[in-house]
Amino acid sequence: MTNRLSAADVCALLEKLRESTPLVQCLTNTVVTNFTANVLLAIGATPAMTDIPTEAGLLAEIASATLVNVGTPHAEQRIAMIEAAQAAHHKGGPWVLDPVAVGALPVRTALARELLKYSPTVIRGNASEIKALAGFGAGGRGVDTVDSAEGALDAATHLAHTHGSTVAISGATDLVTDGTDVLRISNGHRYLTLVTGGGCALGAVTAAFLAVGEDQLAATASATAVYTIAAELAAVNAHGPGTFAIAFIDALAAIDAAEIQSRVKIA
Amino acid sequence: MTNRLSAADVCALLEKLRESTPLVQCLTNTVVTNFTANVLLAIGATPAMTDIPTEAGLLAEIASATLVNVGTPHAEQRIAMIEAAQAAHHKGGPWVLDPVAVGALPVRTALARELLKYSPTVIRGNASEIKALAGFGAGGRGVDTVDSAEGALDAATHLAHTHGSTVAISGATDLVTDGTDVLRISNGHRYLTLVTGGGCALGAVTAAFLAVGEDQLAATASATAVYTIAAELAAVNAHGPGTFAIAFIDALAAIDAAEIQSRVKIA
Amino acid sequence: MTNRLSAADVCALLEKLRESTPLVQCLTNTVVTNFTANVLLAIGATPAMTDIPTEAGLLAEIASATLVNVGTPHAEQRIAMIEAAQAAHHKGGPWVLDPVAVGALPVRTALARELLKYSPTVIRGNASEIKALAGFGAGGRGVDTVDSAEGALDAATHLAHTHGSTVAISGATDLVTDGTDVLRISNGHRYLTLVTGGGCALGAVTAAFLAVGEDQLAATASATAVYTIAAELAAVNAHGPGTFAIAFIDALAAIDAAEIQSRVKIA
């Protein structure tokens, strides 16, 4: 563990999340809405998936945190996303940008650049997406990544400095940086890459942790740690990605301080 | 049990549903389409999720019952919802309105008010939503409720008298009223509140029961009873909300008269 | 087995699919996006569910194969579907058309007729849909079918000759024809009809097999065989459609040559 974040800090944040049941607004892609909402309920948050113009901005004002995931950005949702990001930024509330497949595809790339104007609290993506968003690479071939997390650290640092954001890069080891410090979380299981929304739902959980934690870097790393430790616990009795995804929801609901203390690997 | 509805009546309606496999049209939110369709298949109905203009009205004419759930009411879907409600009302077929987060958010509130013109057979929501729809309160903070079911009974009675609807209010004890009689169903399990669409899919099951039952109050209460007893059965071997949701689908498919007879609590 | 396709051929194609992890673009209905993506991940492909105008055509150029499923064809998605089919056709890449509820509903019927101009590599549907698409019948009452697969063979042969497509008709026995040869696959389990997207996701798996197999008829029959054998394996320990759907994802990820060799029934 590090000076910035102890296992006890992670446990305390999770405890605070479960006690306060933050309302997390999600404007996300059509593939993962259901899984994302169930992940939020399991961890102890209340999901609200409102993503239409007029309502999205109003909900962002009420919500404890907002997620904007550009995975399937239909025209109406794009307007709602700008609204929500603007409202979250204006009130000083936390919001997370997940730049799915940015770089590879033009509509979402332009949208993500526009969204950056509202200074996302956290940007969470894979290495290809983070590099493309920073203008450091051409992007991957969609949701999978062709770059290593470590190789996107320069791009992440650049994004952090330019937009005042904390940046999380998913990979075998997840990196989280605020542009100064870098935390590396080495928990997780490969099954998580075989469940659609495995990354997207972490964006929502990160938003939930930001709702209860003032230190952005610590909250983001805590979300990643709890999420990926739950994946390890779920994998123990899973027979494949189907049973894993179900056990993962159970694990998020049941995970306790002892399991976090014994398994967490943050450096 | 009551004069209006015996356990045997509930079992007879379920039997009739399974024999006739009613076609249930669902215009519902993007978060719960998959779960709703699987719930309908499990209980013995055939789902059809057609929600685009032109087709929605045509399908409402063919369908045995229609559900309109305003959880994520995109512009195109709003037009389709009006079409479907109008067609169902015109042919005298049963349709259910689920006013998700009405009161809290303006677009769906205006939409739900417009939909009321077509006299929904059943209105199903939580206490906050029922109060807001009746003009008795400001609404909750989204899908969760801050009011008790019993506290929304006046609002429900008002809606029932004004629109000729049966009104179902979900809560620890579910209330169903036609404006004169009130039935209280005390089955269920808290896990149902931890699965997204736990309430929304009950709207679809209610539509399926309305397709086979002439007494609106009895059909609505029967749907609630079967659904919440299945939740009790599913909870027995569940390890959390993930395994619960899966066991719940199995329980809906397997639930029999003996289980209903022994567990049902309607007063 | 037949001269056209041995059990060893099926296994070799699956092996090739798993080694090459083809990128499969899906423009599909809102009910089954999540299940379809998880099925693709389980079988060894990479899903990309991009379905907005501008991006859909670009992704079709990159993707190894494309699925167009017209189950909930919103206006924006209809434009994207034409774009993707056109791009796939132009580059000579494989694409699958799933004409959900064509015949019964007018918007998707017109859309499917338009899509036929781009010569789908495979057309996959139930008997009612295949007959309606060929102009041989009025269509079913939505996603379920009122016709037998064998009864749609003439319609399938007509479509195959007119559009140069291989046609797959789902049923208790699945038929696949290129207009000359007919393969019949008799694997499967009735639980697959109780899971929403059971048919739709096979369209995506068919696209994945087309990405690695040059013989369209063999690739389509192989996809059907692997998919329906996985259903048999999943049914062994399932307690209902809920546990079945989860076990099915596990079975797709785990299915091996020995299981295929011992169970496959292609004639």
Side-chain angles (χ1 to χ4, degrees):
Chain A
M1 300 301 293
T2 71
N3 293 342
R4 281 297 289 272
L5 186 66
S6 71
D9 294 338
V10 175
C11 297
L13 266 185
L14 175 60
E15 186 67 17
K16 197 172 169 191
L17 193 170
R18 285 175 173 162
E19 276 167 14
S20 61
T21 61
L23 181 66
V24 179
Q25 176 188 24
C26 301
L27 299 96
T28 191
N29 68 75
T30 54
V31 189
V32 305
T33 46
N34 185 270
F35 183 67
T36 302
N38 280 331
V39 161
L40 283 174
L41 286 165
I43 200 72
T46 298
M49 319 302 274
T50 306
D51 64 351
I52 61 170
T54 305
E55 292 192 350
L58 288 169
L59 193 67
E61 287 173 24
I62 304 168
S64 307
T66 294
L67 166 70
V68 177
N69 170 307
V70 303
T72 55
H74 295 231
E76 203 177 351
Q77 203 193 38
R78 293 200 295 273
I79 297 168
M81 286 173 169
I82 298 290
E83 247 189 52
Q86 199 165 16
H89 178 58
H90 186 259
K91 78 160 184 178
W95 75 279
V96 176
L97 172 63
D98 192 332
V100 180
V102 157
L105 297 165
V107 176
R108 70 194 63 204
T109 303
L111 173 65
R113 295 259 157 78
E114 176 78 13
L115 287 165
L116 283 177
K117 293 181 186 166
Y118 305 104
S119 305
T121 315
V122 170
I123 302 169
R124 192 217 74 81
N126 63 36
S128 299
E129 292 158 355
I130 295 302
K131 286 168 76 171
L133 189 63
F136 282 45
R141 58 168 202 172
V143 292
D144 60 342
T145 185
V146 293
D147 301 300
S148 78
E150 208 67 45
L153 189 52
D154 283 357
T157 303
H158 177 77
L159 283 171
H161 288 156
T162 311
H163 303 287
S165 306
T166 291
V167 181
I169 316 169
S170 55
T173 291
D174 298 293
L175 302 190
V176 182
T177 182
D178 58 5
T180 307
D181 289 344
V182 182
L183 296 178
R184 289 174 176 79
I185 303 102
S186 304
N187 295 102
H189 193 277
R190 71 171 189 90
Y191 273 150
L192 206 49
T193 65
L194 294 179
V195 176
T196 197
C200 299
L202 175 53
V205 170
T206 302
F209 273 84
L210 289 169
V212 294
E214 283 173 32
D215 180 337
Q216 296 178 195
L217 185 73
T220 304
S222 295
T224 303
V226 170
Y227 193 82
T228 51
I229 293 170
E232 293 176 5
L233 296 169
V236 173
N237 294 310
H239 305 296
T243 42
F244 168 77
I246 300 306
F248 179 60
I249 299 288
D250 284 358
L252 286 168
I255 192 168
D256 62 22
E259 289 163 334
I260 294 169
Q261 296 271 4
S262 70
R263 285 183 176 265
V264 67
K265 293 181 201 161
I266 303 181
Chain B
M1 302 302 292
T2 72
N3 293 341
R4 280 299 289 274
L5 187 66
S6 69
D9 294 338
V10 175
C11 297
L13 266 184
L14 175 60
E15 185 68 16
K16 196 171 169 191
L17 194 171
R18 285 175 172 162
E19 277 167 12
S20 62
T21 60
L23 181 67
V24 179
Q25 175 188 25
C26 300
L27 300 96
T28 191
N29 68 75
T30 54
V31 189
V32 305
T33 45
N34 185 270
F35 183 66
T36 301
N38 280 331
V39 161
L40 283 173
L41 286 164
I43 200 71
T46 299
M49 319 302 274
T50 307
D51 64 350
I52 61 170
T54 305
E55 291 192 350
L58 288 169
L59 193 66
E61 288 173 23
I62 304 168
S64 306
T66 295
L67 166 71
V68 177
N69 172 306
V70 303
T72 54
H74 295 232
E76 203 177 352
Q77 203 193 39
R78 293 201 294 274
I79 298 168
M81 285 173 169
I82 298 290
E83 247 188 50
Q86 199 165 14
H89 178 57
H90 186 260
K91 76 161 185 176
W95 76 278
V96 176
L97 172 63
D98 192 332
V100 181
V102 158
L105 297 164
V107 176
R108 69 194 64 204
T109 303
L111 172 64
R113 295 260 155 78
E114 176 78 13
L115 286 164
L116 283 177
K117 293 181 188 167
Y118 305 105
S119 305
T121 315
V122 171
I123 303 168
R124 194 219 74 80
N126 63 37
S128 300
E129 292 158 355
I130 295 301
K131 286 167 77 171
L133 188 64
F136 282 44
R141 59 170 200 171
V143 293
D144 61 342
T145 186
V146 294
D147 301 300
S148 79
E150 209 66 44
L153 188 54
D154 283 355
T157 304
H158 177 77
L159 284 172
H161 287 158
T162 311
H163 303 288
S165 306
T166 291
V167 182
I169 316 169
S170 56
T173 291
D174 298 293
L175 301 191
V176 182
T177 182
D178 57 5
T180 307
D181 290 344
V182 182
L183 296 178
R184 289 174 175 79
I185 302 103
S186 303
N187 295 102
H189 193 277
R190 72 171 188 90
Y191 273 151
L192 206 50
T193 66
L194 294 179
V195 176
T196 197
C200 299
L202 174 54
V205 170
T206 302
F209 272 84
L210 290 169
V212 295
E214 282 173 31
D215 180 338
Q216 296 178 194
L217 186 73
T220 304
S222 295
T224 303
V226 170
Y227 193 83
T228 52
I229 293 169
E232 293 176 6
L233 297 169
V236 174
N237 293 311
H239 305 297
T243 42
F244 169 77
I246 299 308
F248 180 59
I249 298 288
D250 284 358
L252 286 169
I255 193 169
D256 62 23
E259 289 163 335
I260 293 169
Q261 296 271 5
S262 70
R263 286 182 175 266
V264 67
K265 294 182 201 159
I266 303 182
Chain C
M1 302 301 293
T2 71
N3 293 341
R4 279 298 290 272
L5 186 66
S6 70
D9 294 337
V10 174
C11 297
L13 266 185
L14 175 60
E15 185 68 17
K16 197 171 168 191
L17 193 171
R18 286 175 171 162
E19 278 167 12
S20 61
T21 61
L23 182 65
V24 178
Q25 176 187 24
C26 299
L27 299 96
T28 191
N29 68 76
T30 54
V31 189
V32 304
T33 45
N34 185 270
F35 183 67
T36 301
N38 279 332
V39 161
L40 283 174
L41 286 164
I43 201 70
T46 298
M49 319 302 274
T50 306
D51 63 351
I52 60 170
T54 305
E55 292 192 350
L58 288 170
L59 193 66
E61 288 173 23
I62 304 168
S64 306
T66 295
L67 166 70
V68 176
N69 171 306
V70 302
T72 55
H74 295 233
E76 204 177 351
Q77 203 193 37
R78 293 200 295 274
I79 298 168
M81 285 173 170
I82 299 290
E83 247 188 53
Q86 198 164 16
H89 178 57
H90 186 259
K91 78 161 185 176
W95 75 279
V96 176
L97 172 63
D98 192 332
V100 181
V102 157
L105 297 165
V107 176
R108 69 194 62 203
T109 303
L111 172 65
R113 294 259 155 80
E114 176 79 13
L115 287 164
L116 283 177
K117 294 181 186 166
Y118 305 104
S119 306
T121 316
V122 171
I123 302 168
R124 192 218 75 81
N126 63 37
S128 300
E129 292 157 355
I130 295 302
K131 286 168 76 172
L133 189 63
F136 283 44
R141 58 169 202 172
V143 294
D144 60 342
T145 185
V146 293
D147 302 299
S148 78
E150 209 67 43
L153 189 53
D154 283 356
T157 304
H158 177 77
L159 284 171
H161 287 157
T162 312
H163 303 287
S165 306
T166 291
V167 182
I169 315 168
S170 56
T173 291
D174 298 293
L175 302 190
V176 182
T177 183
D178 57 5
T180 307
D181 289 344
V182 182
L183 296 178
R184 289 175 176 79
I185 303 102
S186 304
N187 295 102
H189 194 278
R190 71 172 189 90
Y191 273 151
L192 206 49
T193 66
L194 294 179
V195 176
T196 198
C200 299
L202 174 54
V205 170
T206 302
F209 273 84
L210 289 169
V212 294
E214 283 173 31
D215 180 338
Q216 296 177 195
L217 184 73
T220 304
S222 295
T224 303
V226 170
Y227 192 82
T228 52
I229 293 169
E232 293 176 5
L233 296 169
V236 173
N237 294 312
H239 305 296
T243 41
F244 169 77
I246 300 307
F248 179 59
I249 298 288
D250 284 358
L252 285 169
I255 193 169
D256 62 23
E259 289 163 334
I260 293 170
Q261 297 270 5
S262 71
R263 285 183 175 266
V264 68
K265 292 183 202 160
I266 303 183

